[in-house]
Amino acid sequence: MRIGIVGTGNMGRALGLGWARAGHEVLFGSRDVKKAKAVAADSFVSAQTGDFDAAAVFGDVILYTIRDYFPSSALKEPQALSGKIVIDCNNSAILGLDLPDPGNRPGIHFTTPIPSHAEELAADAPGARVVKAFNTMAAQVIELDRDELMRRRVSVFLCSDDAQAKSVVKELAEELGFIGVDCGGLERAQLVEGVGDFIRFQIIGMSLGPFATISVNVAPAR
Ligand SMILES: NC(=O)c1ccc[n+]([C@@H]2O[C@H](COP(=O)([O-])OP(=O)(O)OC[C@H]3O[C@@H](n4cnc5c(N)ncnc54)[C@H](OP(=O)(O)O)[C@@H]3O)[C@@H](O)[C@H]2O)c1
Protein backbone atom coordinates (compact mmCIF):
# COMPACT_ATOMS: atom_id res chain seq x y z
CA MET A 1 0.00 0.00 0.00
CA ARG A 2 1.21 3.55 -0.68
CA ILE A 3 1.08 5.69 2.45
CA GLY A 4 1.64 9.46 2.48
CA ILE A 5 2.62 11.01 5.81
CA VAL A 6 1.60 14.64 6.26
CA GLY A 7 3.89 15.98 9.01
CA THR A 8 7.15 14.49 10.20
CA GLY A 9 6.82 14.96 13.96
CA ASN A 10 6.56 12.21 16.59
CA MET A 11 3.47 10.53 15.14
CA GLY A 12 4.47 10.86 11.49
CA ARG A 13 7.86 9.34 12.25
CA ALA A 14 6.58 6.49 14.47
CA LEU A 15 3.75 5.36 12.20
CA GLY A 16 5.54 6.05 8.91
CA LEU A 17 8.65 4.09 9.89
CA GLY A 18 6.50 1.29 11.33
CA TRP A 19 4.59 0.92 8.07
CA ALA A 20 7.75 1.20 5.96
CA ARG A 21 9.29 -1.63 7.99
CA ALA A 22 6.10 -3.65 7.48
CA GLY A 23 6.71 -3.41 3.73
CA HIS A 24 4.53 -0.47 2.68
CA GLU A 25 5.69 2.28 0.33
CA VAL A 26 5.91 5.43 2.43
CA LEU A 27 6.47 9.09 1.54
CA PHE A 28 7.25 11.49 4.40
CA GLY A 29 5.90 14.99 3.71
CA SER A 30 7.17 18.03 5.60
CA ARG A 31 7.30 21.80 5.19
CA ASP A 32 11.05 21.25 5.40
CA VAL A 33 12.19 18.51 3.04
CA LYS A 34 15.51 18.24 4.94
CA LYS A 35 13.49 17.25 8.02
CA ALA A 36 11.58 14.64 5.99
CA LYS A 37 14.87 13.22 4.66
CA ALA A 38 16.29 12.99 8.19
CA VAL A 39 13.23 11.01 9.31
CA ALA A 40 13.36 8.72 6.26
CA ALA A 41 17.10 8.15 6.82
CA ASP A 42 16.29 6.50 10.17
CA SER A 43 14.44 3.77 8.36
CA PHE A 44 15.90 0.31 7.77
CA VAL A 45 13.99 0.36 4.50
CA SER A 46 13.77 3.02 1.82
CA ALA A 47 11.15 5.73 2.07
CA GLN A 48 10.46 8.71 -0.16
CA THR A 49 10.29 12.35 0.89
CA GLY A 50 8.62 15.56 -0.24
CA ASP A 51 6.29 18.28 0.96
CA PHE A 52 2.75 17.92 2.36
CA ASP A 53 1.26 18.00 -1.15
CA ALA A 54 3.61 15.28 -2.38
CA ALA A 55 2.44 13.06 0.50
CA ALA A 56 -1.23 13.77 -0.30
CA VAL A 57 -0.74 12.90 -3.97
CA PHE A 58 1.41 9.81 -3.27
CA GLY A 59 -0.71 7.91 -0.77
CA ASP A 60 -3.72 5.66 -1.16
CA VAL A 61 -3.77 6.20 2.59
CA ILE A 62 -2.74 9.54 4.11
CA LEU A 63 -1.73 9.95 7.76
CA TYR A 64 -2.70 13.51 8.73
CA THR A 65 -0.69 14.58 11.79
CA ILE A 66 -1.13 18.36 11.69
CA ARG A 67 -3.32 19.58 14.50
CA ASP A 68 -5.67 22.46 13.66
CA TYR A 69 -4.12 23.13 10.20
CA PHE A 70 -6.74 21.73 7.88
CA PRO A 71 -6.10 20.70 4.25
CA SER A 72 -7.67 23.81 2.66
CA SER A 73 -4.90 25.90 4.24
CA ALA A 74 -2.10 23.32 4.70
CA LEU A 75 -2.16 21.93 1.13
CA LYS A 76 -1.81 23.78 -2.17
CA GLU A 77 -4.07 21.16 -3.78
CA PRO A 78 -6.38 19.85 -1.05
CA GLN A 79 -8.57 18.10 -3.65
CA ALA A 80 -5.78 15.49 -3.88
CA LEU A 81 -7.34 13.95 -0.74
CA SER A 82 -10.66 13.27 -2.42
CA GLY A 83 -11.38 9.53 -2.55
CA LYS A 84 -8.41 8.73 -0.31
CA ILE A 85 -8.34 7.22 3.15
CA VAL A 86 -7.22 9.97 5.53
CA ILE A 87 -6.25 8.94 9.06
CA ASP A 88 -6.71 11.65 11.69
CA CYS A 89 -4.53 10.93 14.75
CA ASN A 90 -4.85 14.41 16.23
CA ASN A 91 -5.76 15.50 19.73
CA SER A 92 -6.38 19.07 20.84
CA ALA A 93 -3.67 21.23 22.37
CA ILE A 94 -3.29 20.80 26.13
CA LEU A 95 -3.72 24.08 28.00
CA GLY A 96 -0.84 24.67 30.40
CA LEU A 97 1.45 22.52 28.24
CA ASP A 98 1.07 23.12 24.49
CA LEU A 99 -0.65 26.49 24.95
CA PRO A 100 -0.92 28.90 27.88
CA ASP A 101 -4.08 28.46 29.90
CA PRO A 102 -6.18 31.63 29.39
CA GLY A 103 -7.35 31.35 33.02
CA ASN A 104 -3.75 30.91 34.31
CA ARG A 105 -4.83 27.85 36.28
CA PRO A 106 -2.04 25.65 37.62
CA GLY A 107 -1.53 22.26 36.00
CA ILE A 108 -2.82 21.01 32.67
CA HIS A 109 -6.33 21.27 31.23
CA PHE A 110 -8.12 19.63 28.32
CA THR A 111 -10.63 21.09 25.89
CA THR A 112 -11.94 18.14 23.88
CA PRO A 113 -13.39 19.84 20.77
CA ILE A 114 -16.98 19.54 19.58
CA PRO A 115 -17.19 18.93 16.69
CA SER A 116 -14.15 16.67 16.88
CA HIS A 117 -10.92 17.39 15.03
CA ALA A 118 -11.76 14.42 12.77
CA GLU A 119 -15.18 15.84 11.87
CA GLU A 120 -13.61 19.22 11.13
CA LEU A 121 -11.03 17.55 8.93
CA ALA A 122 -13.77 15.68 7.05
CA ALA A 123 -15.75 18.90 6.56
CA ASP A 124 -12.63 20.63 5.21
CA ALA A 125 -11.67 17.81 2.81
CA PRO A 126 -14.74 16.90 0.72
CA GLY A 127 -14.59 13.33 -0.58
CA ALA A 128 -11.82 12.27 1.82
CA ARG A 129 -12.57 8.98 3.61
CA VAL A 130 -11.62 10.13 7.10
CA VAL A 131 -10.84 7.57 9.81
CA LYS A 132 -10.12 8.60 13.39
CA ALA A 133 -7.36 6.37 14.79
CA PHE A 134 -4.09 6.25 16.76
CA ASN A 135 -4.88 9.23 19.03
CA THR A 136 -5.03 7.23 22.29
CA MET A 137 -1.43 6.07 22.65
CA ALA A 138 1.91 7.87 22.75
CA ALA A 139 4.30 7.62 19.81
CA GLN A 140 6.65 5.64 22.09
CA VAL A 141 4.07 2.82 22.26
CA ILE A 142 3.81 2.73 18.46
CA GLU A 143 7.60 2.32 18.33
CA LEU A 144 7.55 -0.81 20.51
CA ASP A 145 8.55 -4.10 18.97
CA ARG A 146 5.51 -5.77 17.34
CA ASP A 147 5.61 -8.90 19.54
CA GLU A 148 5.89 -6.81 22.71
CA LEU A 149 2.97 -4.66 21.57
CA MET A 150 0.83 -7.70 20.73
CA ARG A 151 1.33 -9.06 24.26
CA ARG A 152 -0.06 -5.78 25.66
CA ARG A 153 -3.25 -5.95 23.51
CA VAL A 154 -3.41 -2.18 23.06
CA SER A 155 -6.59 -0.88 21.38
CA VAL A 156 -6.61 1.44 18.39
CA PHE A 157 -10.08 3.00 18.44
CA LEU A 158 -11.46 3.41 14.91
CA CYS A 159 -14.29 5.71 13.78
CA SER A 160 -15.38 6.37 10.22
CA ASP A 161 -18.47 6.73 8.07
CA ASP A 162 -16.69 4.57 5.46
CA ALA A 163 -16.64 0.91 6.56
CA GLN A 164 -14.09 -0.15 3.95
CA ALA A 165 -11.70 2.68 4.91
CA LYS A 166 -12.08 1.70 8.57
CA SER A 167 -11.23 -1.92 7.80
CA VAL A 168 -8.08 -0.88 5.86
CA VAL A 169 -6.91 1.21 8.83
CA LYS A 170 -7.75 -1.65 11.23
CA GLU A 171 -5.43 -3.87 9.19
CA LEU A 172 -2.70 -1.21 9.21
CA ALA A 173 -3.02 -0.97 13.01
CA GLU A 174 -2.89 -4.74 13.46
CA GLU A 175 0.20 -5.05 11.23
CA LEU A 176 1.99 -2.94 13.85
CA GLY A 177 0.77 -5.15 16.72
CA PHE A 178 -2.33 -3.23 17.90
CA ILE A 179 -5.90 -4.49 18.24
CA GLY A 180 -8.38 -2.49 16.15
CA VAL A 181 -11.61 -1.64 18.00
CA ASP A 182 -14.59 -0.50 15.92
CA CYS A 183 -16.15 2.62 17.46
CA GLY A 184 -18.77 3.30 14.81
CA GLY A 185 -19.19 6.36 12.61
CA LEU A 186 -17.14 9.56 12.55
CA GLU A 187 -19.62 11.16 14.97
CA ARG A 188 -17.99 8.92 17.64
CA ALA A 189 -14.65 10.65 17.13
CA GLN A 190 -15.83 13.08 19.82
CA LEU A 191 -15.83 10.19 22.31
CA VAL A 192 -12.51 8.86 21.06
CA GLU A 193 -10.86 12.27 21.27
CA GLY A 194 -12.12 12.40 24.87
CA VAL A 195 -10.40 9.05 25.46
CA GLY A 196 -7.25 10.62 23.96
CA ASP A 197 -7.50 13.39 26.53
CA PHE A 198 -8.09 10.88 29.34
CA ILE A 199 -4.98 8.82 28.54
CA ARG A 200 -2.90 12.01 28.16
CA PHE A 201 -4.17 13.08 31.59
CA GLN A 202 -2.93 9.74 32.95
CA ILE A 203 0.40 9.96 31.07
CA ILE A 204 1.21 13.57 31.97
CA GLY A 205 -1.18 14.70 34.71
CA MET A 206 -0.91 11.51 36.78
CA SER A 207 2.74 10.92 35.78
CA LEU A 208 2.25 7.38 34.45
CA GLY A 209 4.55 8.18 31.52
CA PRO A 210 4.31 7.47 27.78
CA PHE A 211 3.93 3.71 28.07
CA ALA A 212 0.55 3.97 29.79
CA THR A 213 -2.10 2.54 27.45
CA ILE A 214 -5.86 2.21 27.30
CA SER A 215 -7.77 -0.72 25.82
CA VAL A 216 -11.23 -2.24 25.65
CA ASN A 217 -11.27 -5.94 26.45
CA VAL A 218 -14.21 -8.28 26.91
CA ALA A 219 -13.97 -10.73 29.80
CA PRO A 220 -15.21 -14.26 29.12
CA ALA A 221 -18.92 -14.61 29.96
CA ARG A 222 -19.66 -16.88 32.95
N1 LIG B 1 3.13 12.57 20.16
C1 LIG B 1 2.29 11.65 20.57
O1 LIG B 1 2.67 10.75 21.34
C2 LIG B 1 0.85 11.67 20.11
C3 LIG B 1 0.03 10.58 20.41
C4 LIG B 1 -1.30 10.56 19.94
C5 LIG B 1 -1.77 11.64 19.20
N2 LIG B 1 -0.96 12.70 18.96
C6 LIG B 1 -1.51 13.82 18.18
O2 LIG B 1 -0.97 13.72 16.87
C7 LIG B 1 -0.71 15.03 16.34
C8 LIG B 1 0.75 15.12 15.99
O3 LIG B 1 1.50 14.95 17.16
P1 LIG B 1 3.09 14.95 17.11
O4 LIG B 1 3.57 14.62 18.47
O5 LIG B 1 3.55 14.19 15.94
O6 LIG B 1 3.35 16.51 16.89
P2 LIG B 1 4.68 17.20 16.45
O7 LIG B 1 5.84 16.30 16.68
O8 LIG B 1 4.67 18.56 17.07
O9 LIG B 1 4.44 17.32 14.88
C9 LIG B 1 3.36 18.06 14.42
C10 LIG B 1 3.45 18.22 12.90
O10 LIG B 1 2.69 19.35 12.56
C11 LIG B 1 3.34 20.07 11.54
N3 LIG B 1 3.21 21.50 11.84
C12 LIG B 1 3.58 22.14 12.97
N4 LIG B 1 3.29 23.45 12.86
C13 LIG B 1 2.72 23.62 11.64
C14 LIG B 1 2.22 24.75 10.93
N5 LIG B 1 2.28 25.99 11.44
N6 LIG B 1 1.69 24.56 9.71
C15 LIG B 1 1.67 23.32 9.16
N7 LIG B 1 2.15 22.21 9.78
C16 LIG B 1 2.66 22.38 11.00
C17 LIG B 1 4.80 19.65 11.55
O11 LIG B 1 5.14 19.30 10.21
P3 LIG B 1 6.62 19.44 9.61
O12 LIG B 1 7.52 19.98 10.68
O13 LIG B 1 6.98 18.06 9.18
O14 LIG B 1 6.47 20.36 8.47
C18 LIG B 1 4.84 18.41 12.41
O15 LIG B 1 5.14 17.29 11.68
C19 LIG B 1 -1.16 16.02 17.42
O16 LIG B 1 -2.46 16.43 17.15
C20 LIG B 1 -1.12 15.20 18.71
O17 LIG B 1 -2.05 15.65 19.68
C21 LIG B 1 0.34 12.74 19.38
Side-chain angles (χ1 to χ4, degrees):
M1 187 157 275
R2 289 160 72 93
I3 305 177
I5 308 290
V6 176
T8 54
N10 301 304
M11 291 299 279
R13 187 185 62 243
L15 286 165
L17 291 179
W19 286 323
R21 289 188 190 117
H24 295 285
E25 288 182 67
V26 171
L27 187 149
F28 289 99
S30 176
R31 292 164 298 167
D32 175 357
V33 176
K34 274 193 268 162
K35 190 179 164 197
K37 283 190 193 301
V39 170
D42 265 346
S43 177
F44 292 109
V45 290
S46 67
Q48 299 183 49
T49 56
D51 60 12
F52 290 163
D53 279 271
V57 168
F58 176 84
D60 307 309
V61 173
I62 313 297
L63 173 70
Y64 199 86
T65 72
I66 319 174
R67 164 200 293 154
D68 293 335
Y69 290 98
F70 293 101
S72 60
S73 57
L75 301 180
K76 289 180 212 82
E77 301 204 15
Q79 64 275 16
L81 297 180
S82 183
K84 299 199 174 186
I85 298 173
V86 178
I87 304 172
D88 177 43
C89 68
N90 291 285
N91 284 312
S92 56
I94 300 175
L95 302 181
L97 182 73
D98 303 316
L99 291 175
D101 175 39
N104 281 323
R105 295 167 293 178
I108 57 171
H109 303 276
F110 297 88
T111 53
T112 315
I114 296 178
S116 63
H117 192 283
E119 290 169 294
E120 279 204 67
L121 177 56
D124 189 77
R129 306 161 70 196
V130 175
V131 180
K132 185 83 206 178
F134 299 109
N135 68 308
T136 58
M137 73 289 298
Q140 288 91 329
V141 171
I142 298 166
E143 287 167 344
L144 287 173
D145 172 72
R146 183 174 193 273
D147 292 339
E148 168 68 22
L149 197 44
M150 283 178 76
R151 278 195 289 279
R152 294 174 182 226
R153 295 190 58 79
V154 180
S155 297
V156 167
F157 300 112
L158 301 155
C159 311
S160 182
D161 294 335
D162 184 318
Q164 202 250 339
K166 191 161 51 176
S167 98
V168 168
V169 178
K170 183 175 195 284
E171 207 162 299
L172 287 172
E174 294 187 346
E175 282 180 31
L176 299 178
F178 291 102
I179 310 284
V181 174
D182 189 349
C183 298
L186 204 62
E187 182 198 1
R188 303 298 179 201
Q190 291 179 13
L191 284 178
V192 170
E193 292 183 11
V195 176
D197 284 345
F198 177 73
I199 190 63
R200 291 189 299 162
F201 166 67
Q202 292 294 335
I203 290 170
I204 303 161
M206 301 307 286
S207 306
L208 293 188
F211 294 101
T213 58
I214 191 157
S215 299
V216 167
N217 286 301
V218 180
R222 295 191 61 177

